[in-house]
Amino acid sequence: MGSLGALVKHPDDFYPLLKLKMAVRHAKKQIPSEPHWAFFFSMLHKVSRSFALVIQQLHTKLRNAASNKLLVLMVCIFYLVLRALDTVEDDTSIATDVKVPILADFYRHIYNLEWHFSCGTKEYKVLMDEFHHVSTAFLELEIGYLQVIEDITRRMGAGMAKFICKEVETVDDYDEYCHYVAGLVGLGLSKLFHAYGSEDLAPDSLSNSMGLFLQKTNIIKDYLEDINEIPKARMFWPRQIWSRYVNKLEDLKYEENSVKAVQCLNDMITNALMHVDDCLKYMSALHDPSIFRFWAIPQIMAIGTLALCYNNIEVFRGGVKMRRRLTAKVIDRTNTMADVYGAFYDFSCMLKAKVDNNDSNAQETISRIDSILKTCRDSGVLNERKSYIIQNQSNYTPLLVVLLFIILAITLANLSPNWPNN
């Protein structure tokens, strides 16, 4: 009833939600018939529904005549290779002397159709147990794409291995770790899109920032999940920041430290905001509309998530995430750079309104937010977008709301697998 009540209150959310629902169902029907590709796409939807949605933004123009595969397949392969590598890193039950060599040699394993390693849980365990499907798909790519994926996997595995044996002590360590696990993803995708012929090759610094902004947002919002990881906590917040507030990182989750926890949270968010200007520069240089959406949607989700997390104790209680209705709006409305500037402007205004002037980092936080706002204003296109934050007075009548739900019921009935075929 909560969702229905929300739609009645905000009927303008209906169309984006319906489009999102239909996109999810459509994506699940686009699974190829070959066994390894069937496994590949089914697994993609299981290990990352959000990425599966974003990757749909990529066009399906055939480019590789030899293997007759799409750009979307190349990016999916890249993602699942790194997702498997990340599964090894994330499994805290694997002994260090076993884990480190696997991470370091992972770039070699992707060429071995017989290699697999049992780790992770649920769908991640299936991915690792049947990794030969990923290798089979990987080996169908052209040599140029293979080399990019191999190089990024090698560098990422080496970086992960380094930080298995080393804690994140300083902010420089934090940036280095995030570079290995996410900045390299940005570099790899930029190289793949350039090799495909769709984009100019972006400067490494900008590609790196695209990854760091997303990774730092995830590290911030996933604090509670990571610190409660069994059998061993995963700790990515840099000691240089959290030690200003508590003696141990896990102390942030205790109620008696709520004030200090929020101050530390705001410090972490202020750090993440340093990458926004680079991200806006990167996206403003993109040419292909579908690649633009592929990049832009996650970045808008990230700034929106930081706006929700800022000054919010719930990060240390039950977690914070963007509501599905807002996610649907972001996906539906993100088509041009004007939409990106508008979204970053709106969420930055929301964030700025939450800054407490008594916070020890308030001045630096406001300075970084003001820089983002200036970049968005200087674009000259803010009047070309709809606000994500300001709720306009609804023009929908009660009758129209009823009609919307009738349309929804009919649409969902037609989408049902039990609906009779004509």
Side-chain angles (χ1 to χ4, degrees), residues 34 37 59-75 77 136-147 149 192 195-198:
E34 299 97 323
W37 287 114
H59 61 72
T60 57
K61 180 182 177 182
L62 289 172
R63 177 63 183 267
N64 185 347
S67 60
N68 200 38
K69 300 304 176 186
L70 312 177
L71 173 63
V72 65
L73 302 183
M74 177 179 67
V75 177
I77 292 168
T136 300
F138 168 73
L139 291 171
E140 291 185 6
L141 294 176
E142 286 184 347
I143 186 65
Y145 304 141
L146 291 178
Q147 290 173 339
I149 295 174
L192 288 174
Y196 189 75
S198 297

Side-chain angles (χ1 to χ4, degrees), residues 219-231:
I219 285 174
I220 290 166
K221 76 178 180 63
D222 291 341
Y223 165 85
L224 194 62
E225 177 184 339
D226 289 337
I227 207 70
N228 289 334
E229 179 74 16
I230 295 174

